[in-house]
Amino acid sequence: MKVIPLNQALKLWGLAIASAGLLYASGYLVDYLTASTTTSLGLRWLGVFVAVGGTLPWLLFIAWMVSAMDEYHRHVTLVGTAVAFVGELLAHISFNVMQDARLVSWSTHLQEIPVAMIVWLIGIGASAFYYRLRL
Amino acid sequence: MKNRLKVLRAERNWSQMELGNRVGVSRQAINAVETGKFDPSLPLALKLARVFDTTVEAVFELDSGE
């Protein structure tokens, strides 16, 4: 990664912590807004918007990180993201089929955000590994 | 794509880090370009040529099969 000025690094660090905190807190708020069977339609829709809105700062942080990279690391990250997209698709398809095949209970839910982050990191790791080994 | 980065760098006694700093990319990026693992963008190729005070064609060359 190229060297970035300290004030930009501090902003990135601050945004990372704030966005992770917001992501974490929004999960609890969404549960509170949507879990009850007596919650009104409006509050349930609010839960949906909070769930989506809570992820936006995190996605903004990732976009900012990518924009701060040099072209080599950006290339590796974007290839890794494409690999992760395929991995995520395969993970969801296999999980759904496992539920259909009664290998996994219907009451089990895939934790979307942790799974997405883990698959994304694996994708970037695979991409970095590929470009390191490539002859 | 072949390149003469290592030779040009050695002539000036520059490390990969120093060259990276001069063109605004990381040491890893210079290493990836130098070893042919990553083809630089046109702006980066032009910057590399400029810091060596030469042309892009003098730094980079297509492989025979390309």
Side-chain angles (χ1 to χ4, degrees):
Chain A
M1 195 174 290
K2 72 182 175 187
V3 177
I4 57 173
L6 181 63
N7 63 341
Q8 194 183 359
L10 288 174
K11 278 183 194 171
L12 275 173
W13 186 239
L15 185 58
I17 291 172
S19 61
L22 196 63
L23 193 64
Y24 186 73
S26 68
Y28 282 101
L29 184 57
V30 169
D31 282 346
Y32 174 75
L33 289 170
T34 59
S36 173
T37 51
T38 57
T39 309
S40 70
L41 183 67
L43 279 180
R44 280 181 280 148
W45 271 111
L46 180 63
V48 173
F49 287 117
V50 169
V52 173
T55 62
L56 290 179
W58 180 255
L59 294 174
L60 182 68
F61 164 69
I62 291 170
W64 198 358
M65 278 286 288
V66 171
S67 73
M69 292 172 176
D70 65 35
E71 63 179 64
Y72 169 66
H73 286 101
R74 192 179 303 142
H75 181 80
V76 169
T77 303
L78 293 180
V79 169
T81 304
V83 171
F85 175 78
V86 175
E88 183 78 6
L89 193 66
L90 293 175
H92 277 270
I93 289 171
S94 59
F95 186 79
N96 287 341
V97 174
M98 282 161 75
Q99 281 189 323
D100 289 342
R102 298 178 305 284
L103 296 169
V104 176
S105 164
W106 280 102
S107 61
T108 307
H109 292 286
L110 208 58
Q111 294 292 316
E112 300 288 348
I113 290 173
V115 168
M117 284 183 184
I118 289 167
V119 172
W120 191 57
L121 288 175
I122 291 171
I124 291 173
S127 171
F129 191 64
Y130 169 75
Y131 278 99
R132 191 156 288 223
L133 288 185
R134 189 180 172 195
L135 296 173
Chain B
M1 195 161 67
K2 290 186 287 190
N3 68 78
R4 296 181 59 241
L5 278 184
K6 195 170 184 176
V7 174
L8 292 165
R9 207 165 48 73
E11 285 172 359
R12 287 155 183 80
N13 208 19
W14 291 347
S15 64
Q16 290 182 338
M17 177 72 91
E18 188 172 353
L19 177 56
N21 288 340
R22 284 172 185 267
V23 295
V25 298
S26 62
R27 183 195 62 76
Q28 293 93 331
I30 295 296
N31 183 58
V33 173
E34 198 171 286
T35 53
K37 293 174 181 174
F38 174 70
D39 291 336
S41 66
L42 185 56
L44 179 56
L46 287 165
K47 281 182 194 172
L48 287 166
R50 190 168 61 190
V51 297
F52 290 124
D53 199 23
T54 186
T55 61
V56 171
E57 293 92 332
V59 182
F60 297 98
E61 187 186 338
L62 284 174
D63 283 325
S64 53
E66 286 181 311

